[in-house]
Every structure is written in C-alpha cells, then in structure tokens.
C-alpha cells in the first residue's frame, strides 16, 4: 500500500486515512497483548520443556513485536499524517496560545536538565522529548515538553544474540518557568520514597511527608519554603491530574517533572479521528491545560511577578 500523501487532502479523505491508521494501531496493540498473555500462560501451563520454550518465545516475543513495531509503526504514520495535513493549524494555535516560538539556552529541556532533577536516578538510560515549546503565558516565560524515560537493557543468551529492550519508567511533562528573583543557590526537591534521606524540614508536616528538600545551606532552603509557598505547592499537587515527582529552583528558573497521562500539544488517544472537529478541539484543549497548569503555579506570588 502506498502511504505517500501528495498535497492537501480533503476533510473526508483525511478523516478516512486517520481512521485507517488508528484502527491498525489498536488492532496490532491488542494482538500484541494477547500474544504476550499467551506466552505467559504457556510458560506456566505447559509441562513439556521443549514445547514450553517454543510457545513462550513465539507468543511472547511475537506479541511484543506486534505491539511495538506494527502497532507503533501505524501510530507513527498517524502522527506524521496529522502533522503533514494539519501542521498549519497546530502551529497557528500554538502561537495564538503562547506567542512566537523561542529558543533560549536558559529554558532548554534535555537530558542534562532531567538528570539535574535527580529524576528516577539510576533507573533510565534513554530520554525521548516531544513537542518542546518555549513561549509566554499571561506574563510568565516558560518552556514545556512531553518526556519519556526508558530503561534500556539487553536480554537473551550471548550465543543466540542479544535483544535490546526498552521499558518506560517515566511518562509525563517537564516544565520550566522563569521566576521573579534569581535563587542564591540551587534547591532540589524530590517526591519522598522509602529510600529518601531525611532532607531539610520545612515545618509543613504534609509537605515534608511528600517531598525531600536538599540544598547546600539549610537556612536558605527554609527561607525559600515559607508556610505560604509549601501550602501553594501542596494545593498545586492536588489540582493536577498526575504526580509532581520533583522540582528544582536554580538561578532564575523553576524546573519540574510531572508524571501524567496528559500530553502537551497533542491529540488525546481517546479521540475518534474520524471527527476532525473533535481532533481540533482535543489539540486546543491540551494547550489550554498547559495554560491552566502555568496559572496555578503563577499564583505563587513569592516566585512569580505577573
């Protein structure tokens, strides 16, 4: 089948083609999941070792390949077609929402930044970023991107050839905002886990149960995390559809990572792509949601001047 698209497609043609790719992606994903499940069942249910090995390998790895390569391939074609045919609409809505695109060194979102947040340290080797945008919303200079972190490893016997595998350990957004006054030193905050050190106590018991604060000077960190600011951060956490995993105040920027199914500047996967108006509404809604997140953060008058 020829998947090359020349020129602008009509609404009816585009709707039909998007529906085709969406169906392909869903079907291959389902087939892949069934294959993986069949491989797991075979491993535990089949007694014959030779048959067990064959069934497990064929079903499990066949399922993984179907979901990742065939389903993923259809998903990539779908995204490429949307960008090709609706890119002008997407770009116009982005500029309407956040002004002209900027590219400053101060607001980059890359591997170096994410590692500086100490996000899931030691659990990932590969970063994927998508839909990076730097702009302004209601007077706040910001940048944002969808981010995935993958654990990359090799599996199999050396004599049979090793297979490179990827397990996603984080999916969400990384957001950076320019603050009112530059920080005198870096203050790093991470979601508290059972392995977290005690950290610097802010005096807000709920905040200290949720987060671990680290800084070179304890008194400086305490001067930053006032009762009002810690209360605002907790309120922000309750207001978003996701989990704030970490943030860092460094120089004139506040950088944060939020684990969430929300995707910035995207069309939701639940949208029926036969309905192009629903597709457009979903994209605009994803921009409005980013605006809402920035507005929630900008309520911290100690950090932002708006």
């Amino acid at each position: 089948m020829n998947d090359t698209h020349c020129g602008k497609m009509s609404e009816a043609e585009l709707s039909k083609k998007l529906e085709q790719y969406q169906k392909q992606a869903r079907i291959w994903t389902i087939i892949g999941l069934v294959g993986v499940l069949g491989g797991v069942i075979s491993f535990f249910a089949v007694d014959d070792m030779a048959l067990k090995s064959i069934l497990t390998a064929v079903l499990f790895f066949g399922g993984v390949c179907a979901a990742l390569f065939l389903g993923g391939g259809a998903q990539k074609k779908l995204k490429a077609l949307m960008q090709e045919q609706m890119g002008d609409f997407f770009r116009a809505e982005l500029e309407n929402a956040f002004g002209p695109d900027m590219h400053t060194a101060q607001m980059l979102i890359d591997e170096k930044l994410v590692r500086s947040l100490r996000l899931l340290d030691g659990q990932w080797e590969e970063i994927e970023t998508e839909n990076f945008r730097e702009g302004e919303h209601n007077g706040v200079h910001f940048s944002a991107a969808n981010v995935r972190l993958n654990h990359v490893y090799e599996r199999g016997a050396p004599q049979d050839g090793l297979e490179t595998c990827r397990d996603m350990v984080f999916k969400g957004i990384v957001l950076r905002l320019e603050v009112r006054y530059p920080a005198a030193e870096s203050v790093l905050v991470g979601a508290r886990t059972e392995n977290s050190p005690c950290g610097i106590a802010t005096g807000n018991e709920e905040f200290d149960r949720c987060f671990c604060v680290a800084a070179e000077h304890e008194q400086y960190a305490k001067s930053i995390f006032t009762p009002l600011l810690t209360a605002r951060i907790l309120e922000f956490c309750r207001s978003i559809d996701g989990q704030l995993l970490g943030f860092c105040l460094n120089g004139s920027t506040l950088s944060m990572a939020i684990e969430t199914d929300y995707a910035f500047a995207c069309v939701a996967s639940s949208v029926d792509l036969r309905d192009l108006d629903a597709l457009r509404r979903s994209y605009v809604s994803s921009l409005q949601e980013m605006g809402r997140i920035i507005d929630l953060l900008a309520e911290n008058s100690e950090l932002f001047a708006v």
Side-chain angles (χ1 to χ4, degrees), residues 87-238:
D88 290 343
F89 169 78
F90 295 154
R91 286 185 288 272
E93 290 299 323
L94 264 173
E95 187 156 336
N96 182 57
F98 305 122
D101 194 14
M102 309 177 197
H103 289 281
T104 64
Q106 172 193 359
M107 305 298 277
L108 281 177
I109 294 176
D110 55 12
E111 180 174 347
K112 181 180 178 181
L113 169 72
V114 175
R115 291 204 182 277
S116 74
L117 295 175
R118 307 296 295 273
L119 187 63
L120 301 172
D121 264 359
Q123 299 182 42
W124 60 276
E125 296 77 29
E126 180 182 80
I127 181 172
E128 299 177 54
T129 61
E130 183 182 50
N131 295 354
F132 172 84
R133 184 75 178 193
E134 181 180 350
E136 187 174 290
H137 175 74
N138 287 343
V140 178
H141 180 200
F142 81 98
S143 65
N146 301 316
V147 173
R148 293 177 180 83
L149 303 179
N150 300 319
H151 171 44
V152 182
Y153 59 98
E154 292 184 329
R155 179 170 55 190
Q159 63 270 22
D160 298 326
L162 296 174
E163 175 190 15
T164 300
C165 302
R166 285 172 172 80
D167 292 337
M168 184 174 65
V169 298
F170 171 85
K171 181 181 76 170
I173 60 170
V174 170
L175 177 62
R176 308 192 74 185
L177 304 100
E178 187 173 355
V179 296
R180 185 176 187 177
Y181 303 113
E185 65 181 65
S186 178
V187 181
L188 181 66
V189 182
R192 188 171 290 281
T193 68
E194 59 183 16
N195 298 320
S196 296
C198 292
I200 298 170
T202 65
N204 183 317
E205 291 185 4
E206 182 183 358
F207 185 90
D208 292 337
R209 284 196 305 271
C210 295
F211 298 103
C212 178
V213 179
E216 184 177 354
H217 297 99
E218 181 176 337
Q219 282 305 119
Y220 178 73
K222 287 184 174 181
S223 72
I224 292 291
F225 288 98
T226 63
L228 177 59
L229 182 58
T230 54
R232 288 283 196 184
I233 292 171
L234 291 172
E235 183 181 343
F236 171 75
C237 292
R238 290 188 285 266

Side-chain angles (χ1 to χ4, degrees), residues 23 31 42 52 59 81 87 102 116 172 234 240 276:
K23 282 183 177 179
I31 291 173
S42 298
K52 175 191 290 192
L59 291 173
L81 180 60
M102 309 177 197
S116 74
L234 291 172
I240 59 173
L276 297 185

